[in-house]
Amino acid sequence: MAAHQSYNWMLIVLSYLISVLGSYTALQLAVGIPAAHSSRQRTAAILAAGAAMGVGAIWAMHFIAMLACDMGMPVTYDLARTSLSAVLAFAACSLGLGIAGSGSFNWPKLVAAGVCMGLGVAGMHYLGMTAVLMGAFITYDVSIVALSVLIAIVASIAALWLAFNLRGMAQMVGSALVMGIAVCGMHYTGMAAVNLEDNGSQLPAGYAAGLRGDNLGVSIFAVALVLLVVVLVLNHMRQRRREAITI
Amino acid sequence: MIELEMQVLSDRREGLLVELGRIVVAYGFSLMRQRLSQDSRGTWLTMIVRGPADKQLAMEEALATHSRVLSFEAGVAEGRPAMTPAASAPVPAPVTAPAPAPMPSTQGSGPDIHQVESTLPQLARDYPKIYPWLRNLEHAVPADAREASLHLAGRRTGAWVYKRNYAMGAKLNLPDAIKRIGVPALRELATVDWRDGQLLIQNSPLCSPGSQSGCRFYSGYLEGVLGGSVEPQTVFVRNLFCRSHGAASCILEISH
Protein backbone atom coordinates (compact mmCIF):
# COMPACT_ATOMS: atom_id res chain seq x y z
CA MET A 1 0.00 0.00 0.00
CA ALA A 2 1.51 3.35 -1.05
CA ALA A 3 1.48 6.01 1.66
CA HIS A 4 0.41 9.57 0.86
CA GLN A 5 2.75 12.61 0.94
CA SER A 6 1.47 16.10 1.69
CA TYR A 7 3.42 19.35 1.85
CA ASN A 8 3.52 22.52 3.92
CA TRP A 9 3.70 25.22 1.21
CA MET A 10 5.29 27.80 3.44
CA LEU A 11 8.19 25.46 4.13
CA ILE A 12 8.47 24.74 0.40
CA VAL A 13 8.89 28.45 -0.27
CA LEU A 14 11.37 28.63 2.59
CA SER A 15 13.33 25.72 1.11
CA TYR A 16 13.64 27.60 -2.19
CA LEU A 17 14.69 30.77 -0.41
CA ILE A 18 17.45 29.04 1.53
CA SER A 19 18.70 27.34 -1.63
CA VAL A 20 18.84 30.75 -3.35
CA LEU A 21 20.59 32.32 -0.36
CA GLY A 22 23.12 29.49 -0.24
CA SER A 23 23.63 29.62 -4.00
CA TYR A 24 24.08 33.38 -3.95
CA THR A 25 26.71 33.12 -1.22
CA ALA A 26 28.47 30.24 -2.93
CA LEU A 27 28.53 31.78 -6.39
CA GLN A 28 29.70 35.14 -5.06
CA LEU A 29 32.57 33.33 -3.39
CA ALA A 30 33.15 31.22 -6.51
CA VAL A 31 33.46 34.09 -8.97
CA GLY A 32 36.35 35.31 -6.83
CA ILE A 33 38.28 32.08 -7.51
CA PRO A 34 39.78 33.28 -10.83
CA ALA A 35 40.96 36.47 -9.13
CA ALA A 36 42.87 34.63 -6.39
CA HIS A 37 46.50 35.71 -6.17
CA SER A 38 47.88 32.54 -4.59
CA SER A 39 47.04 28.86 -4.41
CA ARG A 40 46.16 29.32 -0.77
CA GLN A 41 43.62 32.03 -1.57
CA ARG A 42 42.26 29.93 -4.37
CA THR A 43 41.84 26.85 -2.18
CA ALA A 44 40.16 28.91 0.52
CA ALA A 45 37.73 30.42 -2.01
CA ILE A 46 36.90 27.00 -3.45
CA LEU A 47 36.30 25.41 -0.05
CA ALA A 48 34.22 28.34 1.18
CA ALA A 49 32.13 28.31 -1.98
CA GLY A 50 31.77 24.53 -1.80
CA ALA A 51 30.64 24.73 1.83
CA ALA A 52 28.09 27.45 1.09
CA MET A 53 26.71 25.52 -1.86
CA GLY A 54 26.92 22.02 -0.45
CA VAL A 55 25.82 22.66 3.10
CA GLY A 56 23.86 25.88 2.64
CA ALA A 57 22.09 25.64 -0.69
CA ILE A 58 21.70 21.87 -0.94
CA TRP A 59 21.82 20.19 2.46
CA ALA A 60 19.84 22.83 4.36
CA MET A 61 17.31 23.06 1.52
CA HIS A 62 16.88 19.27 1.50
CA PHE A 63 16.05 19.06 5.17
CA ILE A 64 13.71 22.04 5.15
CA ALA A 65 11.94 20.31 2.27
CA MET A 66 11.86 17.08 4.28
CA LEU A 67 10.30 18.98 7.16
CA ALA A 68 7.77 20.35 4.66
CA CYS A 69 6.79 16.83 3.66
CA ASP A 70 4.26 14.98 5.80
CA MET A 71 4.63 11.30 4.99
CA GLY A 72 1.76 10.30 7.23
CA MET A 73 3.99 8.73 9.85
CA PRO A 74 6.72 9.84 12.25
CA VAL A 75 10.22 10.11 10.76
CA THR A 76 13.72 10.40 12.21
CA TYR A 77 17.09 10.67 10.45
CA ASP A 78 20.21 8.60 10.87
CA LEU A 79 22.90 10.97 12.09
CA ALA A 80 25.85 9.36 10.30
CA ARG A 81 24.19 9.29 6.87
CA THR A 82 22.77 12.75 7.34
CA SER A 83 26.27 14.05 8.08
CA LEU A 84 27.77 12.06 5.23
CA SER A 85 25.25 13.53 2.80
CA ALA A 86 26.45 17.03 3.77
CA VAL A 87 30.08 15.99 3.24
CA LEU A 88 29.23 14.53 -0.17
CA ALA A 89 27.48 17.72 -1.27
CA PHE A 90 30.38 19.83 0.00
CA ALA A 91 32.99 17.72 -1.81
CA ALA A 92 31.10 17.56 -5.11
CA CYS A 93 30.35 21.29 -5.12
CA SER A 94 33.92 22.21 -4.21
CA LEU A 95 35.16 20.09 -7.10
CA GLY A 96 32.63 21.58 -9.52
CA LEU A 97 33.27 25.16 -8.51
CA GLY A 98 37.02 24.57 -8.59
CA ILE A 99 36.76 23.32 -12.17
CA ALA A 100 34.53 26.21 -13.23
CA GLY A 101 36.81 28.79 -11.63
CA SER A 102 40.11 27.59 -13.10
CA GLY A 103 41.66 29.19 -16.16
CA SER A 104 39.60 30.59 -18.98
CA PHE A 105 35.97 29.67 -19.34
CA ASN A 106 34.90 27.11 -21.94
CA TRP A 107 32.10 24.62 -22.57
CA PRO A 108 33.88 21.37 -21.68
CA LYS A 109 34.86 22.88 -18.36
CA LEU A 110 31.35 24.19 -17.80
CA VAL A 111 29.80 20.79 -18.52
CA ALA A 112 32.29 19.00 -16.26
CA ALA A 113 31.61 21.46 -13.45
CA GLY A 114 27.85 21.26 -13.98
CA VAL A 115 27.92 17.46 -13.89
CA CYS A 116 29.88 17.56 -10.60
CA MET A 117 27.44 20.02 -9.09
CA GLY A 118 24.38 18.20 -10.41
CA LEU A 119 25.62 14.86 -9.13
CA GLY A 120 26.45 16.55 -5.85
CA VAL A 121 22.87 17.77 -5.53
CA ALA A 122 21.42 14.39 -6.50
CA GLY A 123 23.94 12.40 -4.48
CA MET A 124 23.22 14.44 -1.39
CA HIS A 125 19.49 13.97 -1.86
CA TYR A 126 19.48 10.24 -2.36
CA LEU A 127 22.07 9.63 0.36
CA GLY A 128 20.00 11.88 2.60
CA MET A 129 16.95 9.78 1.77
CA THR A 130 18.72 6.63 2.96
CA ALA A 131 19.02 8.39 6.31
CA VAL A 132 15.23 8.49 6.65
CA LEU A 133 14.05 6.12 9.37
CA MET A 134 10.35 5.29 9.47
CA GLY A 135 7.85 2.49 9.47
CA ALA A 136 7.72 2.01 5.70
CA PHE A 137 9.91 0.93 2.81
CA ILE A 138 11.01 3.57 0.30
CA THR A 139 11.11 2.59 -3.36
CA TYR A 140 11.68 4.81 -6.40
CA ASP A 141 10.35 5.25 -9.90
CA VAL A 142 13.64 4.99 -11.80
CA SER A 143 12.57 7.14 -14.75
CA ILE A 144 11.62 10.02 -12.45
CA VAL A 145 14.88 9.59 -10.56
CA ALA A 146 16.77 9.92 -13.86
CA LEU A 147 14.75 13.03 -14.66
CA SER A 148 15.62 14.54 -11.27
CA VAL A 149 19.34 13.99 -11.90
CA LEU A 150 19.03 15.51 -15.37
CA ILE A 151 17.29 18.58 -13.93
CA ALA A 152 20.07 19.00 -11.38
CA ILE A 153 22.82 18.77 -14.00
CA VAL A 154 21.21 20.99 -16.63
CA ALA A 155 20.17 23.69 -14.17
CA SER A 156 23.61 23.60 -12.51
CA ILE A 157 25.25 24.16 -15.89
CA ALA A 158 22.92 27.08 -16.55
CA ALA A 159 23.64 28.59 -13.13
CA LEU A 160 27.40 28.25 -13.55
CA TRP A 161 27.24 29.78 -17.03
CA LEU A 162 25.38 32.78 -15.64
CA ALA A 163 27.74 33.12 -12.69
CA PHE A 164 31.03 32.94 -14.54
CA ASN A 165 30.14 34.27 -17.96
CA LEU A 166 28.02 37.31 -17.22
CA ARG A 167 28.56 40.42 -15.15
CA GLY A 168 26.21 42.59 -13.11
CA MET A 169 22.78 41.72 -11.72
CA ALA A 170 22.12 38.82 -14.09
CA GLN A 171 25.33 37.28 -12.81
CA MET A 172 24.69 37.87 -9.13
CA VAL A 173 20.96 37.29 -8.77
CA GLY A 174 20.11 35.32 -11.92
CA SER A 175 22.67 32.61 -11.22
CA ALA A 176 21.43 32.16 -7.63
CA LEU A 177 17.79 31.94 -8.72
CA VAL A 178 18.65 29.33 -11.36
CA MET A 179 20.80 27.33 -8.95
CA GLY A 180 17.89 27.39 -6.52
CA ILE A 181 15.77 25.89 -9.28
CA ALA A 182 18.43 23.22 -9.81
CA VAL A 183 18.41 22.22 -6.16
CA CYS A 184 14.66 22.44 -5.55
CA GLY A 185 13.74 21.06 -8.94
CA MET A 186 15.90 18.03 -8.33
CA HIS A 187 14.61 17.53 -4.80
CA TYR A 188 10.90 17.76 -5.46
CA THR A 189 11.18 15.71 -8.65
CA GLY A 190 13.12 13.14 -6.64
CA MET A 191 10.38 13.13 -4.01
CA ALA A 192 7.79 12.56 -6.71
CA ALA A 193 9.69 9.36 -7.53
CA VAL A 194 9.21 8.06 -3.99
CA ASN A 195 6.81 5.25 -3.22
CA LEU A 196 6.25 4.45 0.43
CA GLU A 197 5.39 0.81 0.92
CA ASP A 198 3.83 -0.35 4.17
CA ASN A 199 6.11 -2.66 6.14
CA GLY A 200 3.59 -3.42 8.84
CA SER A 201 4.67 -0.34 10.84
CA GLN A 202 7.93 -1.98 11.88
CA LEU A 203 10.35 0.73 12.92
CA PRO A 204 13.93 0.23 11.73
CA ALA A 205 16.86 -0.18 14.07
CA GLY A 206 18.18 3.14 15.29
CA TYR A 207 14.84 4.90 14.83
CA ALA A 208 14.67 6.09 18.42
CA ALA A 209 18.23 7.43 18.34
CA GLY A 210 17.71 9.27 15.04
CA LEU A 211 17.57 13.04 14.59
CA ARG A 212 14.10 14.50 14.88
CA GLY A 213 12.66 17.44 13.03
CA ASP A 214 13.26 19.92 15.84
CA ASN A 215 16.98 18.93 15.96
CA LEU A 216 17.22 19.52 12.23
CA GLY A 217 15.43 22.87 12.56
CA VAL A 218 18.17 24.14 14.89
CA SER A 219 20.91 22.94 12.53
CA ILE A 220 19.23 24.55 9.53
CA PHE A 221 18.75 27.81 11.43
CA ALA A 222 22.48 27.81 12.25
CA VAL A 223 23.39 27.20 8.60
CA ALA A 224 21.09 30.00 7.44
CA LEU A 225 22.55 32.36 10.01
CA VAL A 226 26.10 31.58 8.92
CA LEU A 227 25.15 32.12 5.28
CA LEU A 228 23.63 35.49 6.02
CA VAL A 229 26.68 36.58 7.97
CA VAL A 230 28.98 35.43 5.16
CA VAL A 231 26.93 37.34 2.57
CA LEU A 232 27.00 40.52 4.64
CA VAL A 233 30.72 40.28 5.40
CA LEU A 234 31.54 39.43 1.78
CA ASN A 235 29.56 42.35 0.43
CA HIS A 236 31.12 44.69 2.96
CA MET A 237 34.64 43.52 2.11
CA ARG A 238 34.03 43.82 -1.63
CA GLN A 239 32.60 47.28 -1.24
CA ARG A 240 35.63 48.38 0.76
CA ARG A 241 38.03 46.84 -1.73
CA ARG A 242 36.17 48.49 -4.61
CA GLU A 243 36.48 51.85 -2.92
CA ALA A 244 40.17 51.26 -2.28
CA ILE A 245 40.98 50.60 -5.94
CA THR A 246 42.84 53.58 -7.27
CA ILE A 247 42.99 54.67 -10.84
CA MET B 1 60.38 56.67 -4.94
CA ILE B 2 62.96 55.12 -7.17
CA GLU B 3 63.63 55.43 -10.88
CA LEU B 4 64.75 52.30 -12.70
CA GLU B 5 65.98 51.49 -16.15
CA MET B 6 65.04 47.98 -17.26
CA GLN B 7 65.94 46.14 -20.42
CA VAL B 8 64.09 43.10 -21.65
CA LEU B 9 64.71 40.74 -24.55
CA SER B 10 61.73 38.94 -26.02
CA ASP B 11 61.16 36.78 -29.07
CA ARG B 12 58.11 38.76 -30.22
CA ARG B 13 57.37 42.46 -30.40
CA GLU B 14 53.56 42.27 -30.54
CA GLY B 15 51.96 43.19 -27.25
CA LEU B 16 55.24 43.16 -25.34
CA LEU B 17 54.92 46.70 -24.05
CA VAL B 18 51.28 46.20 -23.11
CA GLU B 19 51.93 42.99 -21.19
CA LEU B 20 55.00 44.15 -19.33
CA GLY B 21 53.61 47.64 -18.83
CA ARG B 22 50.66 46.10 -17.05
CA ILE B 23 52.99 44.39 -14.58
CA VAL B 24 54.87 47.64 -14.02
CA VAL B 25 51.61 49.46 -13.25
CA ALA B 26 50.37 46.59 -11.07
CA TYR B 27 53.30 47.15 -8.72
CA GLY B 28 52.57 50.84 -8.39
CA PHE B 29 55.20 52.03 -10.87
CA SER B 30 54.64 54.54 -13.64
CA LEU B 31 56.12 54.07 -17.07
CA MET B 32 58.13 57.21 -17.80
CA ARG B 33 59.65 56.30 -21.15
CA GLN B 34 59.98 53.23 -23.28
CA ARG B 35 61.75 52.18 -26.43
CA LEU B 36 61.49 49.12 -28.62
CA SER B 37 64.15 47.91 -30.99
CA GLN B 38 64.78 44.81 -33.05
CA ASP B 39 67.88 42.77 -33.77
CA SER B 40 68.75 39.24 -34.79
CA ARG B 41 68.19 37.95 -31.23
CA GLY B 42 64.68 39.39 -30.94
CA THR B 43 62.95 42.50 -29.63
CA TRP B 44 64.54 44.71 -27.02
CA LEU B 45 62.29 46.73 -24.76
CA THR B 46 63.87 49.38 -22.60
CA MET B 47 61.71 51.01 -19.96
CA ILE B 48 62.32 53.83 -17.52
CA VAL B 49 59.91 53.42 -14.62
CA ARG B 50 59.35 55.27 -11.38
CA GLY B 51 57.68 53.91 -8.28
CA PRO B 52 57.94 52.75 -4.66
CA ALA B 53 61.37 51.38 -3.74
CA ASP B 54 59.86 48.66 -1.56
CA LYS B 55 58.13 47.12 -4.57
CA GLN B 56 61.25 47.09 -6.74
CA LEU B 57 62.31 43.51 -6.10
CA ALA B 58 58.81 42.11 -6.44
CA MET B 59 58.28 43.91 -9.74
CA GLU B 60 61.66 42.82 -11.09
CA GLU B 61 60.85 39.25 -10.08
CA ALA B 62 57.51 39.40 -11.87
CA LEU B 63 59.06 40.81 -15.02
CA ALA B 64 62.04 38.49 -15.03
CA THR B 65 59.81 35.42 -14.70
CA HIS B 66 57.27 36.53 -17.30
CA SER B 67 56.76 33.99 -20.07
CA ARG B 68 57.58 36.55 -22.78
CA VAL B 69 60.90 37.58 -21.25
CA LEU B 70 64.03 35.84 -22.51
CA SER B 71 66.51 38.03 -20.69
CA PHE B 72 66.09 40.77 -18.14
CA GLU B 73 68.40 43.43 -16.73
CA ALA B 74 67.60 46.29 -14.39
CA GLY B 75 69.42 49.08 -12.65
CA VAL B 76 68.80 52.43 -11.05
CA ALA B 77 68.32 55.09 -13.73
CA GLU B 78 70.78 57.96 -13.37
CA GLY B 79 68.63 60.76 -14.76
CA ARG B 80 69.92 60.40 -18.30
CA PRO B 81 67.39 60.94 -21.02
CA ALA B 82 69.01 58.63 -23.55
CA MET B 83 68.15 54.95 -23.48
CA THR B 84 70.67 52.60 -24.97
CA PRO B 85 69.44 49.12 -25.77
CA ALA B 86 72.13 46.56 -26.15
CA ALA B 87 71.30 46.07 -29.78
CA SER B 88 71.01 48.12 -32.93
CA ALA B 89 69.67 51.65 -33.29
CA PRO B 90 66.42 52.11 -31.39
CA VAL B 91 63.09 52.57 -33.07
CA PRO B 92 60.31 54.71 -31.58
CA ALA B 93 57.74 52.51 -29.85
CA PRO B 94 54.15 52.75 -31.04
CA VAL B 95 51.75 52.50 -28.14
CA THR B 96 49.34 50.25 -30.07
CA ALA B 97 49.15 48.65 -33.48
CA PRO B 98 49.69 50.97 -36.44
CA ALA B 99 46.62 52.75 -37.82
CA PRO B 100 44.97 51.26 -40.90
CA ALA B 101 44.66 52.93 -44.26
CA PRO B 102 41.63 55.21 -43.74
CA MET B 103 43.25 56.86 -40.73
CA PRO B 104 46.31 59.09 -41.00
CA SER B 105 49.44 57.51 -39.62
CA THR B 106 50.27 58.75 -36.12
CA GLN B 107 53.70 58.48 -34.61
CA GLY B 108 53.97 61.15 -31.90
CA SER B 109 56.17 61.16 -28.83
CA GLY B 110 55.26 59.34 -25.62
CA PRO B 111 52.54 60.41 -23.22
CA ASP B 112 52.83 63.38 -20.90
CA ILE B 113 52.89 61.25 -17.78
CA HIS B 114 52.68 64.17 -15.37
CA GLN B 115 49.57 65.61 -16.97
CA VAL B 116 47.93 62.22 -17.26
CA GLU B 117 48.69 61.36 -13.64
CA SER B 118 47.26 64.65 -12.45
CA THR B 119 44.10 64.15 -14.52
CA LEU B 120 43.39 60.57 -13.45
CA PRO B 121 42.06 61.39 -9.96
CA GLN B 122 39.57 63.81 -11.54
CA LEU B 123 38.45 61.10 -13.95
CA ALA B 124 37.93 58.68 -11.08
CA ARG B 125 36.04 61.26 -9.04
CA ASP B 126 33.63 62.31 -11.79
CA TYR B 127 33.36 59.07 -13.73
CA PRO B 128 31.48 58.65 -16.09
CA LYS B 129 31.09 62.43 -16.61
CA ILE B 130 34.69 62.79 -17.64
CA TYR B 131 34.60 64.58 -21.00
CA PRO B 132 35.44 68.03 -19.60
CA TRP B 133 38.56 66.56 -17.95
CA LEU B 134 39.55 64.78 -21.13
CA ARG B 135 39.23 68.01 -23.10
CA ASN B 136 41.36 69.73 -20.49
CA LEU B 137 43.97 67.02 -20.84
CA GLU B 138 43.82 67.25 -24.62
CA HIS B 139 44.68 70.94 -24.46
CA ALA B 140 47.14 70.74 -21.58
CA VAL B 141 49.64 68.46 -23.25
CA PRO B 142 51.95 69.24 -26.18
CA ALA B 143 50.45 68.43 -29.57
CA ASP B 144 52.86 65.58 -30.24
CA ALA B 145 52.05 63.97 -26.90
CA ARG B 146 48.28 64.37 -27.20
CA GLU B 147 47.35 61.03 -28.68
CA ALA B 148 49.66 59.01 -26.46
CA SER B 149 48.45 60.91 -23.39
CA LEU B 150 44.79 60.30 -24.17
CA HIS B 151 45.56 56.67 -24.90
CA LEU B 152 47.33 56.25 -21.58
CA ALA B 153 44.49 58.00 -19.73
CA GLY B 154 42.07 55.65 -21.47
CA ARG B 155 44.09 52.57 -20.55
CA ARG B 156 44.32 53.55 -16.93
CA THR B 157 40.63 54.44 -16.75
CA GLY B 158 39.61 51.20 -18.48
CA ALA B 159 41.76 49.07 -16.19
CA TRP B 160 40.29 50.85 -13.18
CA VAL B 161 36.72 50.31 -14.39
CA TYR B 162 37.47 46.63 -14.99
CA LYS B 163 38.87 46.12 -11.51
CA ARG B 164 35.93 47.90 -9.88
CA ASN B 165 33.01 46.51 -11.86
CA TYR B 166 33.94 43.50 -13.95
CA ALA B 167 36.74 41.58 -12.25
CA MET B 168 34.49 38.98 -10.62
CA GLY B 169 34.06 36.03 -12.96
CA ALA B 170 35.95 33.83 -15.34
CA LYS B 171 38.36 34.92 -18.05
CA LEU B 172 36.43 35.07 -21.31
CA ASN B 173 37.29 34.72 -24.94
CA LEU B 174 37.64 38.04 -26.74
CA PRO B 175 34.23 38.17 -28.49
CA ASP B 176 32.42 37.37 -25.23
CA ALA B 177 34.55 39.85 -23.30
CA ILE B 178 33.72 42.58 -25.81
CA LYS B 179 30.00 41.79 -25.67
CA ARG B 180 29.69 41.37 -21.92
CA ILE B 181 32.34 43.73 -20.59
CA GLY B 182 33.74 46.08 -23.23
CA VAL B 183 30.46 47.26 -24.72
CA PRO B 184 28.56 47.70 -21.42
CA ALA B 185 31.54 49.54 -19.92
CA LEU B 186 31.90 51.88 -22.90
CA ARG B 187 28.13 52.53 -22.94
CA GLU B 188 28.65 54.46 -19.73
CA LEU B 189 30.63 56.96 -21.78
CA ALA B 190 29.13 56.92 -25.27
CA THR B 191 26.50 55.45 -27.57
CA VAL B 192 28.05 52.31 -28.99
CA ASP B 193 27.10 49.35 -31.16
CA TRP B 194 28.97 46.09 -31.67
CA ARG B 195 28.44 44.87 -35.24
CA ASP B 196 30.30 42.39 -37.39
CA GLY B 197 33.41 42.45 -35.27
CA GLN B 198 33.61 46.24 -35.19
CA LEU B 199 32.67 48.70 -32.51
CA LEU B 200 30.79 51.79 -33.65
CA ILE B 201 30.84 54.90 -31.48
CA GLN B 202 28.17 57.36 -32.46
CA ASN B 203 28.47 61.11 -31.94
CA SER B 204 31.54 60.82 -29.79
CA PRO B 205 32.02 64.07 -27.90
CA LEU B 206 35.79 63.65 -28.22
CA CYS B 207 35.73 63.30 -31.99
CA SER B 208 34.07 66.40 -33.29
CA PRO B 209 35.09 67.26 -36.88
CA GLY B 210 38.43 68.96 -36.92
CA SER B 211 39.63 67.62 -33.59
CA GLN B 212 42.79 65.57 -33.56
CA SER B 213 42.78 62.82 -31.03
CA GLY B 214 39.32 61.57 -30.10
CA CYS B 215 39.40 57.83 -30.59
CA ARG B 216 42.70 57.37 -28.84
CA PHE B 217 41.04 57.61 -25.44
CA TYR B 218 38.47 54.97 -26.42
CA SER B 219 41.16 52.70 -27.82
CA GLY B 220 43.09 52.86 -24.58
CA TYR B 221 39.93 52.50 -22.53
CA LEU B 222 38.95 49.29 -24.32
CA GLU B 223 42.46 47.90 -24.04
CA GLY B 224 42.38 48.60 -20.31
CA VAL B 225 38.92 47.22 -19.65
CA LEU B 226 39.40 44.13 -21.81
CA GLY B 227 43.02 43.44 -20.92
CA GLY B 228 42.15 41.95 -17.56
CA SER B 229 39.15 40.00 -18.77
CA VAL B 230 40.61 37.87 -21.52
CA GLU B 231 43.24 35.16 -21.66
CA PRO B 232 45.88 35.92 -22.92
CA GLN B 233 45.79 39.50 -21.73
CA THR B 234 47.00 41.13 -24.92
CA VAL B 235 44.33 43.23 -26.61
CA PHE B 236 44.85 45.66 -29.47
CA VAL B 237 42.35 48.28 -30.55
CA ARG B 238 42.72 49.84 -33.97
CA ASN B 239 40.97 52.99 -34.99
CA LEU B 240 39.57 52.37 -38.47
CA PHE B 241 37.44 55.49 -38.94
CA CYS B 242 36.91 58.61 -36.88
CA ARG B 243 34.36 61.42 -37.01
CA SER B 244 37.15 63.89 -36.55
CA HIS B 245 38.48 62.79 -39.95
CA GLY B 246 35.13 63.04 -41.70
CA ALA B 247 33.61 59.60 -41.07
CA ALA B 248 29.95 59.32 -40.03
CA SER B 249 30.86 57.30 -36.93
CA CYS B 250 34.00 56.25 -35.18
CA ILE B 251 34.78 52.59 -35.83
CA LEU B 252 37.21 50.55 -33.80
CA GLU B 253 38.52 47.06 -34.45
CA ILE B 254 39.50 44.91 -31.48
CA SER B 255 41.86 41.96 -31.74
CA HIS B 256 44.32 39.87 -29.74
Side-chain angles (χ1 to χ4, degrees):
Chain A
M1 180 190 74
H4 180 67
Q5 295 176 45
S6 64
Y7 282 95
N8 177 330
W9 286 97
M10 202 180 78
L11 286 176
I12 289 179
V13 171
L14 197 60
S15 72
Y16 179 66
L17 290 180
I18 192 127
S19 67
V20 171
L21 175 63
S23 301
Y24 179 87
T25 310
L27 293 171
Q28 286 305 297
L29 289 163
V31 294
I33 295 169
H37 295 299
S38 63
S39 59
R40 192 174 170 181
Q41 273 184 13
R42 184 181 143 74
T43 306
I46 290 172
L47 293 180
M53 185 66 82
V55 181
I58 301 173
W59 185 88
M61 177 274 152
H62 174 85
F63 282 104
I64 291 179
M66 291 308 289
L67 293 177
C69 180
D70 180 359
M71 298 193 201
M73 64 189 80
V75 172
T76 64
Y77 298 90
D78 179 75
L79 177 61
R81 291 187 182 197
T82 299
S83 307
L84 193 59
S85 67
V87 173
L88 174 69
F90 164 65
C93 291
S94 297
L95 181 60
L97 293 169
I99 292 171
S102 62
S104 56
F105 198 72
N106 56 43
W107 278 99
K109 197 178 287 181
L110 175 65
V111 171
V115 168
C116 280
M117 299 270 289
L119 292 180
V121 175
M124 185 273 130
H125 173 82
Y126 288 109
L127 185 55
M129 289 302 289
T130 67
V132 173
L133 303 171
M134 62 181 180
F137 295 123
I138 297 177
T139 59
Y140 292 96
D141 181 325
V142 176
S143 59
I144 301 179
V145 169
L147 177 65
S148 73
V149 176
L150 186 67
I151 289 171
I153 291 174
V154 171
S156 295
I157 290 172
L160 289 172
W161 186 89
L162 290 168
F164 283 92
N165 220 24
L166 300 186
R167 299 294 189 274
M169 285 300 282
Q171 176 194 37
M172 293 170 67
V173 180
S175 59
L177 292 174
V178 172
M179 195 64 213
I181 291 171
V183 179
C184 290
M186 185 274 133
H187 177 91
Y188 290 111
T189 307
M191 290 305 288
V194 166
N195 294 307
L196 297 177
E197 300 293 340
D198 191 358
N199 70 351
S201 298
Q202 288 185 331
L203 294 174
Y207 173 86
L211 287 170
R212 294 179 185 281
D214 48 355
N215 302 126
L216 280 173
V218 172
S219 306
I220 294 163
F221 173 77
V223 169
L225 194 64
V226 169
L227 286 176
L228 278 173
V229 170
V230 170
V231 167
L232 290 172
V233 170
L234 191 64
N235 280 343
H236 178 68
M237 283 171 60
R238 287 206 173 143
Q239 188 61 31
R240 284 189 62 181
R241 193 171 62 184
R242 192 171 178 272
E243 287 164 3
I245 294 171
T246 56
I247 196 167
Chain B
M1 300 292 272
I2 188 168
E3 196 165 312
L4 303 169
E5 179 169 345
M6 301 183 295
Q7 193 174 86
V8 165
L9 173 64
S10 178
D11 57 349
R12 280 186 299 124
R13 179 189 181 107
E14 289 78 19
L16 184 63
L17 179 57
V18 174
E19 286 189 47
L20 300 190
R22 196 167 281 130
I23 292 176
V24 168
V25 171
Y27 283 92
F29 280 74
S30 299
L31 186 58
M32 312 301 292
R33 288 192 300 280
Q34 77 283 336
R35 191 171 293 277
L36 278 162
S37 63
Q38 196 81 29
D39 73 2
S40 57
R41 296 172 61 191
T43 299
W44 292 91
L45 170 62
T46 307
M47 297 185 284
I48 303 285
V49 300
R50 183 188 295 161
D54 59 337
K55 298 278 178 67
Q56 177 192 350
L57 290 178
M59 180 188 64
E60 290 179 357
E61 171 76 12
L63 287 170
T65 55
H66 193 278
S67 58
R68 297 279 307 268
V69 175
L70 300 176
S71 105
F72 175 82
E73 286 179 18
V76 177
E78 296 170 356
R80 51 200 161 90
M83 291 183 287
T84 54
S88 59
V91 191
V95 178
T96 60
M103 292 294 298
S105 176
T106 55
Q107 197 85 316
S109 67
D112 184 332
I113 304 280
H114 176 72
Q115 281 294 345
V116 172
E117 291 288 350
S118 62
T119 302
L120 288 173
Q122 323 293 342
L123 299 182
R125 193 190 63 198
D126 292 341
Y127 189 86
K129 296 174 181 171
I130 56 174
Y131 287 118
W133 294 114
L134 293 176
R135 286 199 199 91
N136 280 354
L137 175 65
E138 195 176 348
H139 293 115
V141 297
D144 63 348
R146 187 177 296 145
E147 294 194 359
S149 300
L150 283 166
H151 186 265
L152 177 60
R155 284 254 306 274
R156 293 280 296 272
T157 307
W160 174 74
V161 167
Y162 171 76
K163 283 190 250 174
R164 279 171 59 93
N165 299 338
Y166 299 98
M168 288 295 141
K171 301 282 185 192
L172 304 175
N173 59 42
L174 186 59
D176 285 343
I178 293 168
K179 206 162 43 183
R180 299 192 186 116
I181 296 176
V183 171
L186 194 53
R187 281 207 176 116
E188 289 189 88
L189 300 177
T191 305
V192 297
D193 274 322
W194 172 242
R195 282 187 220 152
D196 304 326
Q198 294 179 337
L199 193 78
L200 278 70
I201 305 174
Q202 292 164 2
N203 302 318
S204 158
L206 290 176
C207 306
S208 52
S211 67
Q212 297 295 314
S213 46
C215 286
R216 299 292 287 165
F217 175 82
Y218 298 122
S219 303
Y221 180 88
L222 285 166
E223 286 177 4
V225 84
L226 293 173
S229 58
V230 297
E231 195 77 28
Q233 292 194 330
T234 315
V235 174
F236 297 107
V237 179
R238 290 199 305 169
N239 179 205
L240 300 181
F241 298 97
C242 182
R243 275 179 77 217
S244 62
H245 296 288
S249 301
C250 299
I251 300 180
L252 304 175
E253 184 185 66
I254 307 170
S255 62
H256 271 301

